[in-house]
């Protein structure tokens, strides 16, 4: 049996992005995305065909300030806008951190695949390491993490992975946990209450956010988690 990570499949990344954007921002706007011409121009400039997963992200959110990390918040990631995409040290770099120098990429030889594997490194010029996840899953986690940071009411707590059952009983995974397998984060959503959450394996921390403060207060009461206002 292969241990290759599961990708999202055709069109699914768009559906999940639309769910996140509807939950966090009340809906999608045509101006949130890039045009086909803008994305195609990047491939022509670089001499490669961009992965379908990245094209789908650009089509849905390529001009969205929060989901692209354009606001420069130190705790968010920065997805490269199409015109800034470039090849560094043999890799197509599409994402970095706003606070730290870490970068993520795909190999140009893999860029023509619909959903290639992601590579990461701790700083520019460092060694690239293969990550155990697909580009589509990585981008959905990025979008979930960015959306959580954009909401007006937020709370955090430290919990172990073994305690995630409490979160799972109240919120749904964005897509599924299996789809998100192999990443550093997990993303959750409750569209009806307009609640989002992001869990970090690296720090054992859960960040929950909501559009309405009463929804966050209700989640606090129902979960029993030691959430504190962020």
């Amino acid at each position: 049996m292969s241990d290759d990570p599961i990708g999202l499949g055709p069109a699914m990344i768009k559906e999940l992005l639309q769910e996140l954007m509807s939950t966090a921002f009340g809906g999608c706007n045509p101006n949130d995305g890039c045009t086909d011409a803008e994305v195609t121009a990047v491939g022509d400039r670089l001499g490669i065909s961009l992965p379908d997963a990245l094209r789908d992200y650009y089509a849905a959110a390529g001009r969205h300030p929060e989901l692209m990390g354009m606001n420069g918040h130190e705790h968010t990631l920065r997805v490269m806008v199409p015109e800034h995409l470039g090849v560094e040290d043999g890799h197509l770099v599409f994402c970095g951190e706003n606070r730290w120098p870490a970068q993520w990429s795909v190999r140009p030889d893999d860029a023509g695949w619909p959903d290639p594997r992601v590579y990461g490194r701790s700083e520019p010029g460092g060694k690239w390491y293969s990550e155990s996840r697909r580009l589509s899953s990585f981008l959905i986690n990025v979008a979930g993490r960015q959306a959580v940071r954009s909401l007006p009411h937020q709370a955090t707590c430290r919990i172990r992975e073994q305690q995630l059952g409490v979160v799972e009983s109240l919120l749904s995974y964005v897509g599924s946990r299996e789809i998100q397998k192999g990443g550093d984060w997990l993303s959750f959503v409750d569209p009806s209450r307009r609640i989002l959450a992001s869990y970090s394996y690296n720090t054992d921390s859960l960040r929950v956010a909501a559009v309405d403060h009463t929804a966050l207060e209700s989640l606090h009461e129902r979960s029993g988690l030691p959430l504190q206002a962020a």
Side-chain angles (χ1 to χ4, degrees):
M1 181 179 296
S2 173
D3 62 354
D4 200 39
I6 295 176
L8 293 181
M12 193 172 179
I13 188 172
K14 291 182 180 179
E15 294 175 6
L16 296 183
L17 282 172
Q18 288 168 355
E19 180 182 51
L20 283 170
M21 294 168 77
S22 178
T23 302
F25 312 111
C28 306
N29 187 311
N31 294 329
D32 291 336
C34 299
T35 65
D36 288 341
E38 288 176 315
V39 178
T40 300
V42 176
D44 293 343
R45 172 173 61 85
L46 297 175
I48 58 177
S49 178
L50 297 185
D52 289 350
L54 188 57
R55 294 180 69 94
D56 287 348
Y57 195 94
Y58 283 147
R63 300 298 178 194
H64 196 284
E66 283 80 13
L67 295 192
M68 293 294 288
M70 296 177 186
N71 55 19
H73 190 286
E74 65 176 355
H75 294 294
T76 58
L77 302 176
R78 183 182 66 262
V79 182
M80 305 301 179
V81 294
E83 54 268 31
H84 291 168
L85 278 178
V87 176
E88 297 182 27
D89 300 325
H91 283 246
L92 177 66
V93 178
F94 66 89
C95 184
E97 286 188 315
N98 276 320
R99 186 179 185 183
W100 308 107
Q103 295 178 313
W104 289 272
S105 70
V106 296
R107 296 188 305 186
D109 290 347
D110 298 340
W113 297 1
D115 200 10
R117 188 180 293 272
V118 172
Y119 289 77
R121 64 181 179 181
S122 59
E123 60 184 1
K127 183 178 179 180
W128 291 109
Y129 293 93
S130 175
E131 298 203 4
S132 57
R133 54 181 160 174
R134 292 289 188 178
L135 177 58
S136 59
S137 302
F138 180 90
L139 290 172
I140 285 299
N141 276 153
V142 168
R145 177 172 165 170
Q146 310 286 67
V148 166
R149 291 283 183 177
S150 72
L151 294 183
H153 306 285
Q154 302 183 24
T156 64
C157 67
R158 292 287 184 90
I159 62 172
R160 297 292 185 181
E161 182 181 354
Q162 295 83 349
Q163 299 173 277
L164 283 176
V166 176
V167 183
E168 294 170 343
S169 68
L170 297 170
L171 304 174
S172 300
Y173 283 101
V174 177
S176 71
R177 184 164 184 172
E178 187 65 20
I179 284 173
Q180 298 185 42
K181 183 179 179 181
D184 297 327
W185 321 295
L186 292 172
S187 299
F188 302 86
V189 63
D190 180 346
S192 63
R193 294 182 174 87
R194 300 189 68 183
I195 298 173
L196 294 169
S198 179
Y199 177 73
S200 169
Y201 286 111
N202 292 334
T203 60
D204 291 331
S205 62
L206 176 73
R207 179 172 291 266
V208 183
V211 174
D212 189 316
H213 71 91
T214 59
L216 193 59
E217 292 170 358
S218 174
L219 180 71
H220 187 185
E221 293 174 0
R222 289 181 290 128
S223 69
L225 292 171
L227 291 165
Q228 296 185 344

